[in-house]
């Protein structure tokens, strides 16, 4: 088919390295005339429609199939069929109910699963403006073809990847592809580097990005799946998302073991009965078969409760199994913009030639903060003691600079008066201008206040990407002597503003840059470069301010008759302002908590290396004293992508910061972590993050700023976009795994105890030579479902231990059953089973002289008096032992019966209610006539309660002694982690590798 031709193996052409003429020749097109309609139709057949391919979205039946297509559920289905076949409708019905409930909960949680390709399609522009047959026409976007001449204007969504050939003041928002928080200013300059990062290909525009400002024309170079966003879609389609999570793998392994054990036990039961079939024997065999009916339900409900807990801390879990997987996370790969940072530009530094450096506090749009003068810097120290500048005061130079920042500015700050928003601040305008306006507010020179004082805007020359500056003409407040003076304010990129300056302000003096020596400008620019480097090292974007007084020429229209070139000449340099996107207040504590938990954090961002490194230092991803240049912990995407897998694997440590990232860089990092057998999560919000979100073991998307694509690709979505919430999610994941281990041990110990009773009991024969069952099938089902399962659910809701987030991550390969857990399961199970069976034997042989009765497995008769009472004693013993064992399982080695530990039971309402209910429900099933004899095959007891409580005391004492021996003889479970130790380890690593030149790699 024609569409398949777009996925050919021909090498990709780097159109940003070609001239406009070369690009036009490549596609046999004309920038003035465009394609003919016939040629466009032919190319549409050749290249296919300009749309993203997909698999049609998620089907409900596939989601449902995932809920039942696992080993444990299959085994339960087999048990259900066998139960119905042997007319054991009670057990069959209970197991079937569990299967249905499990599937319903899982289906409900996961039905809003992957619709990634649909979300990508929705992002595409529905129509495009192109030149066809020498005429500008609007066409459906899916009909655009390579070689089309595409036209876009302010607000348009770009319909295809294009090589620009005509622009006017063009800026595009490429955050969804590069993660850059600021609009990108485009130009037509040829780029020689073929491997240039996507965000630096300034002569190209890309499909699904948005025009923020200006207008342009371009030659379409790629459509459909060959666009940059199409490549992301291809990556998403290629990622295998069906790999089982660690929990699923462990449960499957356990299911295989249970199935094997069940077959062996069934064979034993039939062998004892010489393979003579009867319904009683078949039902008993199924009961002995070690199928933990409640396990699937307890796992699913524990996960569902975990989902609810995560929703309370603003994390939406889209896949149940991913929550447990978080507990094994060893590395978090995070985007910067909007994830670790606020995605709000803020001015934090200023330098004026006469005053030196200033420091500005406060973040975001809220104009609250202080300005401190620090003076000049020598090395790492300032030459004066820091002093706070009172609001509305300061040197004349300082006030003039802030007037320039405030008035040469189109941004607006607004405070809402609505009571529901508590007077929150909002901003309208370019992020850079918003940052400058917030600074002016903090200094007491807000634009509205200056206008109220009498400043009047006369003329404006808006920001133009070709000159990278903006200027305004104001008339100052009127004075007693007459109208106010005219003043021109200018701001923009340093190199463009300096070129307009012939003076620089030094305090109250305006010094010339064109002096007698002829070296004044060179000397000044050297000083400027030094100060700019200081700001750039902090990852700041530097803007320059200038001004001059203006004498209007006679008879000139000041509104429409001014020439920009002449207005922006002979300016007086004022100073520099450094702005950046600050980190969230919660990010640094969250990263340090990750280190405490033995988790390493990597930053992968589209920003420049200096900016990325500065933020990484602030949030403790790398030490504050580390050097950016030739640092093995800091790389650019070009350096990292150029390395082969073997070279990456040979690195002593993977970089903590990767700048100028492309989507493939992030996927490569995840793959590198996987090859090191590490368990990685990726956080992000843009479309550029979605392939790595899919490739990661756990993908976490941002809910507020995140694109639909990222949300659909992720396993977990943070509704507050807060990196710190990830730490809570990891803690919840660890808590869930520990609790699963607790309740699985409880349920499996119960199964072992029942097997001990049931299998050993087969050795005792009645008067007819048939085995006497020490427990009935209904008793076993009641123990599994009513007695054991509710406390197991309570164990699934246990609060996290104090050391939960101060220990290294467990290995993803670590099963639910470590050797210690396996040992505990059998030790406790054999102890409970032995005590229960001992009471069964004592009741028969001591109190009832060993009378085994006649057909006591089928119905009650006078000859079965002793057997039925013995069954009740064994059943009641095992009931109380299982309830006591739930308290044991709250900790592997700590005493469960210590007063301090028992006091924490009040925080687990489900557990203590299930224990109380379990005790209360013992008595009705023992003493209700008819129910005891006919259903459970036992009878009421009296003095036998002494045996029951004696067994309980013995078991508690045994469990405490067993745990005491373990604490004395076994190694500690884990060595505690420490954030300071991790930072020091990175410093040591850098000092050992400071001779490595990563730029050559």
């Amino acid at each position: 088919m024609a569409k398949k031709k777009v996925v050919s193996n021909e090498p990709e052409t780097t159109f940003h390295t070609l001239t406009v003429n070369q690009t036009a020749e490549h596609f046999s097109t004309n920038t003035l005339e465009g394609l003919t309609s016939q040629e466009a139709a032919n190319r549409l057949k050749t290249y296919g429609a300009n749309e993203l391919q997909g698999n049609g979205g998620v089907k409900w039946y596939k989601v449902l199939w995932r809920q039942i297509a696992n080993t444990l559920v299959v085994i339960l289905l087999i048990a259900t069929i066998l139960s119905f076949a042997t007319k054991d409708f009670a057990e069959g019905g209970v197991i079937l109910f569990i299967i249905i409930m499990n599937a319903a909960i899982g289906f409900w949680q996961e039905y809003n699963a992957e619709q990634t390709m649909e979300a990508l399609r929705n992002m595409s522009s529905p129509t495009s403006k192109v030149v066809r047959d020498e005429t500008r026409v609007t066409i459906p976007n899916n009909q655009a073809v390579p070689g089309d001449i595409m036209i876009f204007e302010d607000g348009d969504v770009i319909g295809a990847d294009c090589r620009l050939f005509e622009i006017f003041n063009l800026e595009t928002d490429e955050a969804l592809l590069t993660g850059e928080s600021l609009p990108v200013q485009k130009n037509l300059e040829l780029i020689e580097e073929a491997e240039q990062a996507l965000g630096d290909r300034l002569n190209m525009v890309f499909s699904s990005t948005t025009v923020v400002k200006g207008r342009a024309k371009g030659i379409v170079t790629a459509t459909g799946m060959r666009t940059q966003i199409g490549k992301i879609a291809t990556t998403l389609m290629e990622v295998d998302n069906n790999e089982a999570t660690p929990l699923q793998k462990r449960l499957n392994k356990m299911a295989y073991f249970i199935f094997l054990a069940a077959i062996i036990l069934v064979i034993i039961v039939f062998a004892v009965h010489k393979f003579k079939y009867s319904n009683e024997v078949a039902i008993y065999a199924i009961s002995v078969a070690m199928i933990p009916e409640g396990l699937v339900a307890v796992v699913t409900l524990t996960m569902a409760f975990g989902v609810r807990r995560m929703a309370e801390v603003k994390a939406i879990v889209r896949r149940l199994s991913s929550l447990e997987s978080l507990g094994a996370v060893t590395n978090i790969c995070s985007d910067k913009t909007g994830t670790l940072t606020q995605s709000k530009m803020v001015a934090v530094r200023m330098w004026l030639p006469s005053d030196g450096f200033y420091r500005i506090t406060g973040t975001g749009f809220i104009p609250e903060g202080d300005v401190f003068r620090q003076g000049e810097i020598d090395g790492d120290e300032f030459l004066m003691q820091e002093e706070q500048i009172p609001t509305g005061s300061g040197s004349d130079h300082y006030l003039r600079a802030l007037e320039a920042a405030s008035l040469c500015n189109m941004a607006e700050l607004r405070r809402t008066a609505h009571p529901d928003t508590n007077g929150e601040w909002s901003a309208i305008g370019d992020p850079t201008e918003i940052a400058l306006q917030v600074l002016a507010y903090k200094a007491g020179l807000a634009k509205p206040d200056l206008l109220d004082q009498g400043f009047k805007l006369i003329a404006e020359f808006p920001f133009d990407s070709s000159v990278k500056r903006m200027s305004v003409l104001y008339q100052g407040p009127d004075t007693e002597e007459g109208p106010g003076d005219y003043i021109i304010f200018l701001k923009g990129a340093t190199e463009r503003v300096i070129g307009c300056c012939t003076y620089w302000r030094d305090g109250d003096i305006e010094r010339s840059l064109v002096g007698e020596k002829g070296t004044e400008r060179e000397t000044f620019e050297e000083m400027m470069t030094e100060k700019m480097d200081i700001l750039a090292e902090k990852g700041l974007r530097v803007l320059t301010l200038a001004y001059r007084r203006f004498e209007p020429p006679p008879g000139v229209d000041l509104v429409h008759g001014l020439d920009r070139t002449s207005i922006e000449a002979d300016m007086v340099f004022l100073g520099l302002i450094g702005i950046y996107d600050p980190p969230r207040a919660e990010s640094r504590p969250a990263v340090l908590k990750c280190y405490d938990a033995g988790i390493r954090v990597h930053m992968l961002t589209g920003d420049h290396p200096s900016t990325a490194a500065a933020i990484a230092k602030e949030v403790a991803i790398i030490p504050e004293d580390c050097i950016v240049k030739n640092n093995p912990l800091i790389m650019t995407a070009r350096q990292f992508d150029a390395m082969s897998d073997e070279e990456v694997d040979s690195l002593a440590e993977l970089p903590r910061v990767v700048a100028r990232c492309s989507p493939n860089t992030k996927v490569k990092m995840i793959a590198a972590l996987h090859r090191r057998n590490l368990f990685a999560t990726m956080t992000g919000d843009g479309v550029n993050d979605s392939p790595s979100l899919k490739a990661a073991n756990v993908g976490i998307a941002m809910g507020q700023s995140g694109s639909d694509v990222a949300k659909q690709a992720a396993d977990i979505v943070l509704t507050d976009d807060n990196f710190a919430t990830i730490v809570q999610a990891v803690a919840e994941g660890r808590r869930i795994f520990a609790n699963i281990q607790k309740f699985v041990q409880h349920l499996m110990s119960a199964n072992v105890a029942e097997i001990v009773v049931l299998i050993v009991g087969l050795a005792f024969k009645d008067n007819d030579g048939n085995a006497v069952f020490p427990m009935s099938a209904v008793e076993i089902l009641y123990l599994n479902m009513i007695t054991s399962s509710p406390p197991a659910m309570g164990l699934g809701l246990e609060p996290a231990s104090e050391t939960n987030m101060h220990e290294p991550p467990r290995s993803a390969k670590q099963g639910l059953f470590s050797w210690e857990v396996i040992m505990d399961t059998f030790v406790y199970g054999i102890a409970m089973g032995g005590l229960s069976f001992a009471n069964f034997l004592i009741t028969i042989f001591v109190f009832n002289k060993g009378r085994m009765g006649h057909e006591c497995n089928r119905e009650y008769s006078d000859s079965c008096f002793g057997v039925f009472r013995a069954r009740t004693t064994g059943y009641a013993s095992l009931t109380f032992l299982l309830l006591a064992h739930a308290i044991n399982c709250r900790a592997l080695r700590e005493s469960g019966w210590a007063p301090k530990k028992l006091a924490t039971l009040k925080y687990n309402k489900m557990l203590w209610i299930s224990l109380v209910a379990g005790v209360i429900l013992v008595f009705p099933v023992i003493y209700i006539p008819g129910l005891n004899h006919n259903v459970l095959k036992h009878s009421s007891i009296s003095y036998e309660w002494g045996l029951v409580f004696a067994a309980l005391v013995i078991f508690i004492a045994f469990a405490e002694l067993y745990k005491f021996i373990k604490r004395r003889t076994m190694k500690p479970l884990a060595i505690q982690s420490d954030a300071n130790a991790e930072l020091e380890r990175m410093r040591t690593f850098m000092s050992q590798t400071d001779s490595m030149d990563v730029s050559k790699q």
Side-chain angles (χ1 to χ4, degrees), residues 106-128:
F107 179 83
W108 183 261
Q109 291 288 341
E110 294 190 14
Y111 186 61
N112 293 327
E114 318 297 333
Q115 294 180 14
T116 303
M117 300 309 300
E118 284 66 30
L120 283 167
R121 286 195 186 95
N122 292 337
M123 294 179 61
S124 300
S125 173
T127 61
S128 292

Side-chain angles (χ1 to χ4, degrees), residues 21-43:
N21 289 336
Q22 289 173 326
T23 305
E25 289 178 12
H26 181 90
F27 289 108
S28 302
T29 190
N30 186 296
T31 57
L32 296 177
E33 301 174 0
L35 299 175
T36 64
S37 298
Q38 183 60 46
E39 177 61 21
N42 293 337
R43 294 191 184 193

Side-chain angles (χ1 to χ4, degrees), residues 780-893:
I780 298 166
L781 184 62
Y782 192 93
L783 284 170
N784 285 343
M785 297 307 305
I786 306 301
T787 303
S788 185
S789 292
M793 292 178 190
L795 288 171
L797 301 179
E798 271 287 282
S801 68
E802 294 180 358
T803 61
N804 187 46
M805 287 299 286
H806 293 279
E807 298 173 354
R810 71 176 190 276
S811 169
K813 295 182 179 179
Q814 177 186 333
L816 287 170
F817 294 101
S818 62
W819 284 112
E820 181 178 359
V821 172
I822 292 173
M823 180 176 68
D824 290 353
T825 299
F826 281 96
V827 168
Y828 290 126
I830 291 171
M832 290 188 293
L835 288 169
S836 175
F837 191 68
N839 282 350
F840 174 82
L841 293 179
I842 292 172
T843 304
I844 284 186
F845 288 99
V846 175
F847 300 137
N848 290 282
K849 300 179 181 181
R851 289 189 289 269
M852 292 293 183
H854 172 70
E855 291 191 350
C856 296
N857 296 334
R858 181 172 298 179
E859 60 186 357
Y860 178 79
S861 65
D862 291 341
S863 66
C864 296
F865 175 83
V867 172
F868 270 50
R869 289 178 73 95
R871 272 192 196 137
T872 308
T873 307
Y875 162 76
S877 300
L878 193 51
T879 296
F880 280 92
L881 293 178
L882 289 176
L883 295 175
H885 185 45
I887 296 177
N888 274 342
C889 290
R890 295 181 70 207
L892 276 176
R893 297 183 189 175

Side-chain angles (χ1 to χ4, degrees), residues 13-19 22 163 187-197 200-204 638:
T13 304
T14 52
F15 291 103
H16 57 280
T17 64
L18 302 183
T19 65
Q22 289 173 326
R163 170 64 161 94
N187 60 49
L188 302 179
E189 296 176 9
L190 190 67
I191 299 171
E192 296 181 359
E193 180 59 54
E195 299 301 322
Q196 188 74 283
D200 294 330
R201 299 180 186 181
L202 301 181
N203 57 14
M204 299 284 296
R638 185 185 303 177

Side-chain angles (χ1 to χ4, degrees), residues 30-36 129-137 148-151 217:
N30 186 296
T31 57
L32 296 177
E33 301 174 0
L35 299 175
T36 64
K129 294 182 282 289
V130 298
V131 177
R132 295 263 179 97
D133 301 315
E134 304 182 39
T135 304
R136 173 173 167 165
V137 296
D148 259 329
I149 304 304
M150 191 168 285
I151 304 167
K217 295 180 182 178

